[in-house]
PDB file of all heavy atoms in Angstrom:
ATOM      1  N   SER H  39      77.136  54.205  12.391  1.00 90.00           N
ATOM      2  CA  SER H  39      76.124  53.268  12.881  1.00 90.00           C
ATOM      3  C   SER H  39      76.725  52.251  13.843  1.00 90.00           C
ATOM      4  O   SER H  39      76.093  51.257  14.164  1.00 90.00           O
ATOM      5  CB  SER H  39      75.405  52.590  11.712  1.00 90.00           C
ATOM      6  OG  SER H  39      76.297  52.243  10.702  1.00 90.00           O
ATOM      7  N   GLY H 187      70.858  28.040  -9.413  1.00 97.00           N
ATOM      8  CA  GLY H 187      70.947  27.132  -8.279  1.00 97.00           C
ATOM      9  C   GLY H 187      72.387  26.789  -7.988  1.00 97.00           C
ATOM     10  O   GLY H 187      73.299  27.156  -8.731  1.00 97.00           O
ATOM     11  N   THR H 254      66.071   8.794   4.085  1.00 97.00           N
ATOM     12  CA  THR H 254      65.531   7.422   4.073  1.00 97.00           C
ATOM     13  C   THR H 254      66.151   6.597   2.948  1.00 97.00           C
ATOM     14  O   THR H 254      66.949   7.093   2.160  1.00 97.00           O
ATOM     15  CB  THR H 254      64.003   7.450   3.861  1.00 97.00           C
ATOM     16  OG1 THR H 254      63.735   8.239   2.689  1.00 97.00           O
ATOM     17  CG2 THR H 254      63.286   8.056   5.044  1.00 97.00           C
ATOM     18  N   ASP H 294      80.583   7.106  10.562  1.00 96.00           N
ATOM     19  CA  ASP H 294      79.525   7.083  11.576  1.00 96.00           C
ATOM     20  C   ASP H 294      78.196   6.806  10.889  1.00 96.00           C
ATOM     21  O   ASP H 294      77.668   7.661  10.176  1.00 96.00           O
ATOM     22  CB  ASP H 294      79.485   8.398  12.339  1.00 96.00           C
ATOM     23  CG  ASP H 294      78.528   8.329  13.537  1.00 96.00           C
ATOM     24  OD1 ASP H 294      77.790   7.317  13.658  1.00 96.00           O
ATOM     25  OD2 ASP H 294      78.521   9.291  14.338  1.00 96.00           O
ATOM     26  N   THR H 316      90.267   4.815  11.378  1.00 93.00           N
ATOM     27  CA  THR H 316      90.527   4.869  12.822  1.00 93.00           C
ATOM     28  C   THR H 316      89.261   4.595  13.625  1.00 93.00           C
ATOM     29  O   THR H 316      89.322   4.013  14.694  1.00 93.00           O
ATOM     30  CB  THR H 316      91.060   6.245  13.266  1.00 93.00           C
ATOM     31  OG1 THR H 316      90.035   7.227  13.059  1.00 93.00           O
ATOM     32  CG2 THR H 316      92.311   6.650  12.508  1.00 93.00           C
ATOM     33  N   PRO H 384      80.946   3.519  28.707  1.00 70.00           N
ATOM     34  CA  PRO H 384      81.745   4.576  29.329  1.00 70.00           C
ATOM     35  C   PRO H 384      80.832   5.666  29.889  1.00 70.00           C
ATOM     36  O   PRO H 384      79.829   6.019  29.248  1.00 70.00           O
ATOM     37  CB  PRO H 384      82.597   5.118  28.189  1.00 70.00           C
ATOM     38  CG  PRO H 384      82.309   4.264  26.998  1.00 70.00           C
ATOM     39  CD  PRO H 384      81.149   3.396  27.277  1.00 70.00           C
ATOM     40  N   GLN H 484     106.653  40.226  23.049  1.00 85.00           N
ATOM     41  CA  GLN H 484     107.076  41.631  23.104  1.00 85.00           C
ATOM     42  C   GLN H 484     106.320  42.458  24.138  1.00 85.00           C
ATOM     43  O   GLN H 484     106.814  43.462  24.610  1.00 85.00           O
ATOM     44  CB  GLN H 484     106.936  42.349  21.739  1.00 85.00           C
ATOM     45  CG  GLN H 484     107.816  41.760  20.657  1.00 85.00           C
ATOM     46  CD  GLN H 484     107.403  42.214  19.283  1.00 85.00           C
ATOM     47  OE1 GLN H 484     106.646  43.155  19.122  1.00 85.00           O
ATOM     48  NE2 GLN H 484     107.901  41.530  18.274  1.00 85.00           N
ATOM     49  N   ASN H 607      72.375  74.552  40.347  1.00 89.00           N
ATOM     50  CA  ASN H 607      72.150  73.438  41.246  1.00 89.00           C
ATOM     51  C   ASN H 607      73.426  72.603  41.398  1.00 89.00           C
ATOM     52  O   ASN H 607      73.398  71.376  41.257  1.00 89.00           O
ATOM     53  CB  ASN H 607      71.035  72.566  40.672  1.00 89.00           C
ATOM     54  CG  ASN H 607      70.167  72.020  41.779  1.00 89.00           C
ATOM     55  OD1 ASN H 607      70.557  72.092  42.961  1.00 89.00           O
ATOM     56  ND2 ASN H 607      69.012  71.491  41.417  1.00 89.00           N
ATOM     57  N   TRP H 704      57.449  75.344   4.875  1.00 91.00           N
ATOM     58  CA  TRP H 704      58.319  76.012   3.909  1.00 91.00           C
ATOM     59  C   TRP H 704      58.590  77.457   4.291  1.00 91.00           C
ATOM     60  O   TRP H 704      59.725  77.923   4.257  1.00 91.00           O
ATOM     61  CB  TRP H 704      57.686  75.908   2.512  1.00 91.00           C
ATOM     62  CG  TRP H 704      58.458  76.610   1.433  1.00 91.00           C
ATOM     63  CD1 TRP H 704      57.993  77.541   0.575  1.00 91.00           C
ATOM     64  CD2 TRP H 704      59.835  76.414   1.087  1.00 91.00           C
ATOM     65  NE1 TRP H 704      58.976  77.951  -0.288  1.00 91.00           N
ATOM     66  CE2 TRP H 704      60.131  77.272   0.012  1.00 91.00           C
ATOM     67  CE3 TRP H 704      60.861  75.602   1.596  1.00 91.00           C
ATOM     68  CZ2 TRP H 704      61.384  77.343  -0.580  1.00 91.00           C
ATOM     69  CZ3 TRP H 704      62.123  75.680   1.018  1.00 91.00           C
ATOM     70  CH2 TRP H 704      62.372  76.541  -0.058  1.00 91.00           C
ATOM     71  N   SER H 755      85.213  80.804  16.416  1.00 49.00           N
ATOM     72  CA  SER H 755      85.324  82.026  15.625  1.00 49.00           C
ATOM     73  C   SER H 755      86.749  82.500  15.550  1.00 49.00           C
ATOM     74  O   SER H 755      87.542  82.325  16.449  1.00 49.00           O
ATOM     75  CB  SER H 755      84.477  83.135  16.232  1.00 49.00           C
ATOM     76  OG  SER H 755      83.152  82.729  16.262  1.00 49.00           O
ATOM     77  N   ALA H 864      85.896  79.816  -4.218  1.00 89.00           N
ATOM     78  CA  ALA H 864      85.313  80.758  -3.279  1.00 89.00           C
ATOM     79  C   ALA H 864      84.865  82.032  -3.989  1.00 89.00           C
ATOM     80  O   ALA H 864      83.825  82.612  -3.679  1.00 89.00           O
ATOM     81  CB  ALA H 864      86.321  81.077  -2.184  1.00 89.00           C
ATOM     82  N   LEU H 886      55.062  87.374   1.034  1.00 83.00           N
ATOM     83  CA  LEU H 886      55.164  87.811   2.421  1.00 83.00           C
ATOM     84  C   LEU H 886      56.159  88.943   2.546  1.00 83.00           C
ATOM     85  O   LEU H 886      56.991  89.179   1.664  1.00 83.00           O
ATOM     86  CB  LEU H 886      55.608  86.642   3.301  1.00 83.00           C
ATOM     87  CG  LEU H 886      54.609  85.497   3.407  1.00 83.00           C
ATOM     88  CD1 LEU H 886      55.271  84.306   4.072  1.00 83.00           C
ATOM     89  CD2 LEU H 886      53.380  85.930   4.219  1.00 83.00           C
ATOM     90  N   THR H 894      55.367  82.940  10.326  1.00 42.00           N
ATOM     91  CA  THR H 894      53.920  83.075  10.319  1.00 42.00           C
ATOM     92  C   THR H 894      53.208  81.950  11.052  1.00 42.00           C
ATOM     93  O   THR H 894      52.550  82.168  12.042  1.00 42.00           O
ATOM     94  CB  THR H 894      53.398  83.122   8.880  1.00 42.00           C
ATOM     95  OG1 THR H 894      54.043  82.074   8.162  1.00 42.00           O
ATOM     96  CG2 THR H 894      53.701  84.450   8.255  1.00 42.00           C
TER      97      THR H 894
END
Side-chain angles (χ1 to χ4, degrees):
S39 41
T254 53
D294 188 351
T316 65
Q484 297 165 14
N607 217 346
W704 177 234
S755 300
L886 294 169
T894 46

